[in-house]
Amino acid sequence: MKKVDVILGLQWGDEGKGKVVDVLTPAYEVVARFQGGPNAGHTLEFNGEKYVLRSIPSGIFQGGKTNIIGNGVVIDAVLFREEAEALAASGHDLTKQLCISKKAHLILPTHRILDAAYEAAKGSAKIGTTGKGIGPTYTDKVSRNGMRVGDVLSADFRQIYARAKARHESILRGLGYEYDIAELERKWFEAVEYLKRFNIIDSEYFVNGCLAQDKSILAEGAQGTLLDVDFGSYPFVTSSNTVCAGACVGLGIAPNRIGEVYGIFKAYCTRVGGGPFPTELFDETGARMRSIGHEYGAVTGRERRCGWLDLVALKYSIMINGVTQLIMMKSDVMNDFETVKVATEYEVGGERTAHFPYEIGDDLKPVYREFEGWKCDLRDCKSYDDFPAAFKTYVEFIERETGVPVKIISVGPDRGETIVR
Ligand code: GDP
Ligand code: IMO
Ligand code: MG
């Protein structure tokens, strides 16, 4: 029985999903995004070019593959159009390669404004969202007020829109939030027309039809497990299920159809926006990770907070997702570090725990294990055997602790800088 392999982030996003999806795509016929929206920024580098994808699956550059935007995704027609047109200008016409689920929800101009208004209302407790309207769009989906891609084909489209807009405007009035929607709205209606040139499909039938024909499918996650609305560091999370189960719901595939679960993590840890981050570094070492790793948001350009690898959180993510293979990214960023640390436990109120807690308070302190740095350029290594002993010790410690093999090690942003064991 053909299965769907899933690739997803195990930390707070930006693990390098875009790069790895691109590397793995040659082995698949279909690549599908299952949740999130333009809050994602997935970077791919090859032939000296760099691309950042937000809503479009990262399989789009490996010619001839079908790419699907699944029902679990939320789409901003304006940002989608910008993304698709930029790709077309660089010679990648997507209209034949890309299918969009009728059941994917639309991000309306007022959703973006609501996102900003809710953040402003939270004051210092704000989430630090990407400002793309993600939360308000998923809220409307769950409260049964959303607009879906399929609605763009309906004769009642304008009326459905007007009702949603009126509802949003009454909330905005209540919040006393000033805004100007005219330009955004004009662009949005034009972009909705543009959307119609793509294949708008019943993606759940398409995906299951592919499986019935023995076609291989790779499901691409966005964000990361610690941003999952159920299992992440709530309320500092995104509004979708970023975990493996999200692939079932976001594409319409049965749980027994999940095959390999590739879990991606950085050799250290980053987070952008607010919320707890136990191993965060506020010192020179964190600043070095940021500058060497170019840790700035692919979409917002915001500084990413940096810290050591957190095995308590990583093991939690592996458990929730049923990870079968690990993929370790950006080890090269720590090439010159004298020592490298990993949190193996937390200390809370004098007690040690290996559990990712319900609430991460200020009294939580990570317990670290220290490793000797590898002090060499990992980019020169072409196979696992070429890696220095100190680096192998680091990798094999993670494997022993997690019980999951590290199958791919990425040593640079380029497609080619990837070592598959
Ligand atoms: P995604 O959201 O998970 O796809 O990750 P992002 O694209 O937001 O962030 C990952 C960043 O790290 C991008 O700028 C990548 O080009 C870069 N990158 C990916 N893998 C590596 C690696 O192994 N080494 C280095 N130095 N950079 C990498
Ligand atoms: P990729 O797919 C990193 C974070 C935001 C904020 C929180 C909620 O590139 O890994 P939202 O706009 O989703 O309501 O913001 O989630 N966030 C991400 N952080 N990578 C992402 O995506 C993210 N998408 C959202 O910074 O803290
Ligand atoms: Mg990203």
Side-chain angles (χ1 to χ4, degrees):
M1 185 166 73
K2 207 71 185 178
K3 304 239 170 164
V4 177
D5 294 342
V6 182
I7 181 159
L8 43 77
L10 299 179
Q11 296 162 325
W12 280 287
D14 302 329
E15 296 89 351
K17 297 174 290 294
K19 168 179 168 166
V20 177
V21 170
D22 174 61
V23 167
L24 294 177
T25 295
Y28 294 88
E29 283 151 286
V30 177
V31 179
R33 274 278 303 268
F34 58 88
Q35 47 65 237
N39 48 348
H42 294 179
T43 314
L44 294 81
E45 287 191 37
F46 53 90
N47 304 336
E49 302 279 343
K50 177 172 166 174
Y51 299 90
V52 178
L53 299 173
R54 295 158 152 198
S55 304
I56 293 168
S58 302
I60 208 78
F61 297 107
Q62 301 278 16
K65 311 290 178 171
T66 301
N67 286 263
I68 300 173
I69 297 180
N71 57 278
V73 174
V74 292
I75 300 181
D76 182 326
V78 177
L79 296 178
F80 171 81
R81 179 183 186 174
E82 277 174 16
E83 193 178 330
E85 285 186 339
L87 287 175
S90 65
H92 302 92
D93 178 24
L94 316 173
T95 43
K96 293 199 174 58
Q97 268 179 280
L98 185 71
C99 302
I100 306 174
S101 170
K102 273 184 196 165
K103 296 191 173 78
H105 278 244
L106 289 171
I107 301 175
L108 273 49
T110 37
H111 281 135
R112 255 157 96 171
I113 298 166
L114 280 169
D115 194 355
Y118 288 139
E119 282 284 88
K122 277 184 182 265
S124 63
K126 71 174 185 193
I127 308 293
T129 72
T130 59
K132 299 291 181 286
I134 304 297
T137 306
Y138 279 114
T139 300
D140 274 357
K141 171 179 177 173
V142 174
S143 68
R144 298 159 293 187
N145 287 305
M147 278 188 88
R148 300 185 291 174
V149 168
D151 291 335
V152 308
L153 307 172
S154 158
D156 298 331
F157 180 67
R158 290 263 171 180
Q159 281 149 276
I160 304 172
Y161 174 80
R163 273 200 302 276
K165 180 183 169 190
R167 206 164 33 76
H168 296 158
E169 292 201 301
S170 101
I171 300 171
L172 288 164
R173 269 195 304 280
L175 290 167
Y177 193 80
E178 298 286 328
Y179 60 95
D180 182 8
I181 196 178
E183 176 61 11
L184 203 57
E185 196 171 48
R186 187 186 59 74
K187 275 196 186 165
W188 190 80
F189 275 105
E190 281 174 17
V192 161
E193 284 308 307
Y194 175 81
L195 204 60
K196 291 182 187 166
R197 71 181 67 178
F198 291 86
N199 300 309
I200 295 178
I201 61 167
D202 291 314
S203 57
E204 61 278 35
Y205 274 109
F206 184 87
V207 167
N208 284 287
C210 287
L211 289 177
Q213 293 164 39
D214 251 9
K215 287 189 178 166
S216 50
I217 302 176
L218 180 63
E220 173 183 6
Q223 290 79 56
T225 302
L226 305 177
L227 288 171
D228 180 270
V229 67
D230 280 271
F231 299 104
S233 45
Y234 193 88
F236 296 95
V237 294
T238 191
S239 299
S240 64
N241 281 116
T242 61
V243 296
C244 186
C248 296
V249 188
L251 290 170
I253 46 180
N256 64 355
R257 280 295 176 95
I258 299 289
E260 293 297 325
V261 181
Y262 302 103
I264 310 191
F265 67 104
K266 280 182 203 178
Y268 49 100
C269 214
T270 65
R271 162 159 220 177
V272 59
F277 180 176
T279 60
E280 182 166 14
L281 290 168
F282 299 94
D283 60 3
E284 184 56 30
T285 307
R288 268 174 89 196
M289 286 173 177
R290 183 174 314 114
S291 96
I292 302 170
H294 304 289
E295 295 296 356
Y296 295 91
V299 175
T300 56
R302 289 182 296 175
E303 258 189 18
R304 291 179 186 151
R305 301 153 62 191
C306 298
W308 297 120
L309 181 65
D310 183 342
L311 273 184
V312 179
L314 193 71
K315 286 181 190 173
Y316 178 73
S317 297
I318 289 170
M319 172 183 84
I320 299 289
N321 292 301
V323 171
T324 61
Q325 302 190 25
L326 286 168
I327 302 177
M328 184 160 105
M329 311 298 288
K330 302 190 87 159
S331 325
D332 55 294
V333 170
M334 298 195 289
N335 279 346
D336 295 326
F337 285 29
E338 289 295 333
T339 51
V340 172
K341 290 190 195 177
V342 178
T344 51
E345 281 178 302
Y346 296 152
E347 203 176 275
V348 190
E351 303 259 322
R352 289 203 175 180
T353 174
H355 274 205
F356 193 70
Y358 173 74
E359 214 154 24
I360 300 169
D362 292 339
D363 61 333
L364 183 148
K365 303 232 170 343
V367 178
Y368 289 110
R369 164 128 181 198
E370 198 167 298
F371 291 82
E372 197 187 312
W374 35 94
K375 305 282 282 170
C376 78
D377 192 349
L378 295 179
R379 293 194 193 199
D380 295 336
C381 303
K382 303 292 169 230
S383 75
Y384 189 76
D385 291 340
D386 294 343
F387 284 135
F391 182 66
K392 287 183 182 164
T393 302
Y394 189 66
V395 175
E396 288 160 23
F397 176 74
I398 295 167
E399 290 186 317
R400 257 199 323 278
E401 282 285 309
T402 59
V404 184
V406 177
K407 283 290 179 71
I408 297 176
I409 295 173
S410 170
V411 294
D414 191 84
R415 197 187 257 175
E417 293 169 315
T418 315
I419 287 160
V420 182
R421 280 168 88 187

